[in-house]
Coordinates of all heavy atoms in Angstrom, one line a residue:
V1 N -59.9 -0.1 5.4 CA -61.1 0.3 4.7 C -62.2 -0.6 5.0 O -62.0 -1.9 4.8 CB -60.8 0.4 3.1 CG1 -62.1 0.8 2.4 CG2 -59.6 1.3 2.8
I2 N -63.4 -0.1 5.3 CA -64.5 -1.0 5.7 C -64.9 -2.0 4.6 O -65.3 -3.1 4.9 CB -65.7 -0.2 6.3 CG1 -66.6 -1.1 7.0 CG2 -66.4 0.5 5.1 CD1 -67.7 -0.4 7.9
D3 N -64.7 -1.6 3.4 CA -65.1 -2.5 2.3 C -64.0 -3.6 2.0 O -64.3 -4.5 1.2 CB -65.4 -1.7 1.0 CG -66.6 -0.8 1.1 OD1 -67.5 -1.2 1.9 OD2 -66.7 0.2 0.5
L4 N -62.9 -3.4 2.6 CA -61.8 -4.4 2.4 C -61.3 -4.9 3.7 O -60.1 -4.6 4.1 CB -60.6 -3.8 1.6 CG -61.0 -3.4 0.1 CD1 -59.8 -2.6 -0.5 CD2 -61.3 -4.6 -0.7
P5 N -62.1 -5.6 4.5 CA -61.7 -5.9 5.9 C -60.7 -7.1 5.9 O -60.6 -7.9 5.0 CB -63.1 -6.3 6.5 CG -63.9 -6.9 5.4 CD -63.5 -6.0 4.2
L6 N -60.1 -7.2 7.0 CA -59.2 -8.3 7.3 C -60.2 -9.5 7.7 O -61.3 -9.3 8.0 CB -58.3 -8.0 8.5 CG -57.3 -6.9 8.3 CD1 -56.7 -6.5 9.7 CD2 -56.3 -7.3 7.3
A7 N -59.6 -10.7 7.7 CA -60.4 -11.9 8.1 C -60.3 -12.3 9.6 O -61.2 -12.9 10.1 CB -60.1 -13.1 7.2
T8 N -59.1 -12.0 10.2 CA -58.8 -12.5 11.5 C -58.4 -11.4 12.5 O -57.8 -10.5 12.1 CB -57.7 -13.6 11.5 OG1 -56.5 -13.0 11.1 CG2 -58.1 -14.8 10.6
I9 N -58.8 -11.7 13.7 CA -58.4 -10.8 14.8 C -56.9 -10.8 15.0 O -56.3 -9.8 15.2 CB -59.2 -11.2 16.1 CG1 -60.7 -11.0 15.9 CG2 -58.7 -10.4 17.3 CD1 -61.5 -11.7 17.0
Q10 N -56.4 -12.0 14.8 CA -54.9 -12.2 14.9 C -54.2 -11.2 14.0 O -53.2 -10.5 14.4 CB -54.5 -13.6 14.6 CG -53.1 -14.0 14.8 CD -52.9 -14.3 16.3 OE1 -53.7 -14.9 16.9 NE2 -51.7 -14.1 16.7
K11 N -54.6 -11.1 12.7 CA -53.9 -10.2 11.8 C -54.1 -8.8 12.2 O -53.2 -8.0 12.0 CB -54.5 -10.5 10.3 CG -53.8 -9.7 9.3 CD -52.3 -10.0 9.2 CE -51.7 -9.3 8.0 NZ -50.3 -9.6 7.8
G12 N -55.3 -8.4 12.6 CA -55.6 -7.1 13.1 C -54.6 -6.7 14.2 O -54.0 -5.6 14.2
F13 N -54.4 -7.6 15.1 CA -53.4 -7.2 16.2 C -52.0 -7.2 15.7 O -51.2 -6.4 16.2 CB -53.6 -8.2 17.4 CG -54.6 -7.7 18.4 CD1 -55.8 -8.3 18.5 CD2 -54.2 -6.7 19.3 CE1 -56.7 -7.8 19.4 CE2 -55.1 -6.3 20.3 CZ -56.4 -6.8 20.3
E14 N -51.6 -8.0 14.7 CA -50.3 -7.9 14.2 C -50.0 -6.5 13.6 O -48.9 -5.9 13.7 CB -50.1 -8.9 13.1 CG -50.0 -10.3 13.6 CD -49.9 -11.4 12.5 OE1 -49.7 -11.0 11.4 OE2 -50.1 -12.6 12.9
L15 N -51.1 -5.9 13.0 CA -50.9 -4.6 12.4 C -51.1 -3.4 13.4 O -50.6 -2.3 13.1 CB -52.0 -4.4 11.3 CG -51.9 -5.4 10.1 CD1 -53.1 -5.2 9.2 CD2 -50.6 -5.2 9.3
A16 N -51.8 -3.6 14.5 CA -52.1 -2.6 15.4 C -50.9 -1.9 16.1 O -50.0 -2.6 16.5 CB -53.1 -3.1 16.4
E17 N -51.1 -0.6 16.2 CA -50.1 0.2 17.0 C -50.9 0.9 18.1 O -52.1 1.0 18.1 CB -49.4 1.2 16.1 CG -48.6 0.6 15.0 CD -47.4 -0.2 15.5 OE1 -46.8 0.2 16.5 OE2 -47.0 -1.1 14.8
P18 N -50.2 1.5 19.1 CA -50.9 2.2 20.1 C -51.9 3.3 19.6 O -51.5 4.0 18.6 CB -49.8 2.9 20.9 CG -48.6 1.9 20.8 CD -48.7 1.5 19.3
G19 N -53.1 3.3 20.1 CA -54.1 4.2 19.6 C -55.0 3.7 18.6 O -56.1 4.2 18.2
D20 N -54.7 2.5 18.0 CA -55.5 2.0 16.9 C -56.7 1.2 17.5 O -56.7 0.7 18.6 CB -54.7 1.0 16.0 CG -53.6 1.6 15.2 OD1 -53.6 2.9 15.1 OD2 -52.8 0.9 14.6
T21 N -57.8 1.2 16.6 CA -59.0 0.4 17.0 C -59.2 -0.6 16.0 O -59.2 -0.4 14.8 CB -60.2 1.4 17.1 OG1 -59.9 2.4 18.1 CG2 -61.4 0.6 17.4
L22 N -59.5 -1.8 16.5 CA -59.8 -3.0 15.6 C -61.4 -3.2 15.7 O -61.8 -3.5 16.8 CB -59.1 -4.2 16.1 CG -57.6 -4.2 16.2 CD1 -57.1 -5.5 16.8 CD2 -57.0 -3.8 14.9
F23 N -62.1 -2.9 14.7 CA -63.5 -3.0 14.7 C -63.9 -4.3 14.1 O -63.6 -4.7 13.0 CB -64.2 -1.9 13.8 CG -64.2 -0.6 14.5 CD1 -63.4 0.5 14.0 CD2 -65.1 -0.3 15.5 CE1 -63.4 1.7 14.6 CE2 -65.1 1.0 16.1 CZ -64.2 2.0 15.7
L24 N -64.7 -5.1 14.9 CA -65.2 -6.4 14.5 C -66.6 -6.1 13.8 O -67.5 -5.7 14.5 CB -65.3 -7.4 15.6 CG -64.1 -7.8 16.3 CD1 -64.4 -8.8 17.4 CD2 -63.1 -8.4 15.4
L25 N -66.7 -6.4 12.5 CA -68.0 -6.2 11.9 C -68.9 -7.3 12.3 O -68.4 -8.4 12.8 CB -67.8 -6.2 10.4 CG -66.9 -5.0 9.9 CD1 -66.6 -5.1 8.4 CD2 -67.5 -3.7 10.2
P26 N -70.2 -7.1 12.2 CA -71.1 -8.2 12.7 C -70.8 -9.5 12.1 O -70.5 -9.6 10.9 CB -72.5 -7.6 12.3 CG -72.3 -6.1 12.2 CD -70.9 -5.9 11.7
G27 N -70.9 -10.6 12.9 CA -70.7 -11.9 12.4 C -70.1 -12.7 13.5 O -69.9 -12.3 14.7
R28 N -69.7 -14.0 13.2 CA -69.2 -14.9 14.1 C -67.7 -15.2 13.8 O -67.4 -15.7 12.7 CB -70.0 -16.2 14.0 CG -69.7 -17.3 15.0 CD -70.7 -18.4 14.9 NE -70.0 -19.7 15.2 CZ -69.6 -20.5 14.2 NH1 -69.7 -20.3 13.0 NH2 -68.9 -21.6 14.6
F29 N -66.9 -15.0 14.7 CA -65.4 -15.2 14.6 C -65.1 -16.5 15.3 O -65.4 -16.7 16.5 CB -64.6 -14.1 15.1 CG -64.8 -12.8 14.4 CD1 -65.9 -12.0 14.6 CD2 -64.0 -12.4 13.3 CE1 -66.1 -10.8 13.9 CE2 -64.2 -11.3 12.6 CZ -65.3 -10.5 12.9
T30 N -64.4 -17.5 14.7 CA -64.1 -18.7 15.3 C -62.6 -18.8 15.6 O -61.8 -18.0 15.1 CB -64.5 -19.9 14.4 OG1 -63.8 -19.8 13.1 CG2 -66.0 -19.9 14.2
G31 N -62.3 -19.7 16.4 CA -60.9 -19.9 16.8 C -60.6 -19.1 18.1 O -61.5 -18.5 18.7
S32 N -59.4 -19.2 18.5 CA -58.9 -18.5 19.7 C -57.7 -17.7 19.4 O -56.6 -18.2 19.4 CB -58.5 -19.6 20.8 OG -59.7 -20.3 21.2
P33 N -57.9 -16.4 19.1 CA -56.7 -15.5 18.8 C -55.8 -15.5 20.0 O -56.1 -15.4 21.1 CB -57.3 -14.1 18.6 CG -58.8 -14.3 18.4 CD -59.2 -15.6 19.1

């Protein structure tokens, strides 16, 4: 849900399955997933 986003790209990929899209909302993401 766009109003309840995840914090990290890492977590998004843990949840992702084939066909899923991980949308990065505007902002600066730090670290190296």
Side-chain angles (χ1 to χ4, degrees):
V1 178
I2 196 166
D3 293 333
L4 297 170
L6 299 167
T8 64
I9 296 167
Q10 188 82 31
K11 183 64 174 181
F13 269 102
E14 287 173 15
L15 297 172
E17 297 293 331
D20 290 350
T21 299
L22 308 176
F23 284 108
L24 298 181
L25 298 175
R28 185 174 146 262
F29 296 84
T30 58
S32 298

